């Protein structure tokens, strides 16, 4: 299951021994995931192989959650 912003956007069939990095790459390459991000970068990606990838859309600024994120100056 691939979620973007808390909503299921896609499903992947993967081997049970897939690595977190491979699962992340496959999920972020899916057209449905890219469309759901709407051109925004992926802010945070939570991977729980083999069954879940949760993508939190970023805002395009400094890394989400970082001090000063979304501020100017």
């Amino acid at each position: 299951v691939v979620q973007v912003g808390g909503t299921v956007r896609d499903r992947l069939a993967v081997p049970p021994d897939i690595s977190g990095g491979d699962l992340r790459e496959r999920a972020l390459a899916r057209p449905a995931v890219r469309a759901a991000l709407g051109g925004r970068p992926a802010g945070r990606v939570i991977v729980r192989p083999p069954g879940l990838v949760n993508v939190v859309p970023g805002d395009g600024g400094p890394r989400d959650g970082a001090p000063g994120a979304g501020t100017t100056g």
Side-chain angles (χ1 to χ4, degrees), residues 12-18 23 26 50-51:
L12 295 168
V14 298
D17 60 346
I18 191 168
L23 182 55
R26 287 188 192 189

Side-chain angles (χ1 to χ4, degrees), residues 25-62:
E25 285 182 30
R26 287 188 192 189
L28 292 177
R30 302 289 288 192
V33 173
R34 291 194 320 253
L37 287 170
R40 294 173 295 178
R44 184 170 181 194
V45 181
I46 301 162
V47 181
R48 298 291 183 256
L52 175 67
V53 179
N54 191 333
V55 181
V56 179
D59 64 2

Side-chain angles (χ1 to χ4, degrees), residues 2-4 6 9-12 21-23 25 35 37 39-41 52 59 64 67 70-71:
V2 183
Q3 296 179 336
V4 178
R9 301 295 182 169
D10 208 348
R11 295 181 188 276
L12 295 168
D22 286 344
L23 182 55
E25 285 182 30
L37 287 170
R40 294 173 295 178
L52 175 67
D59 64 2
D64 287 338
T71 62

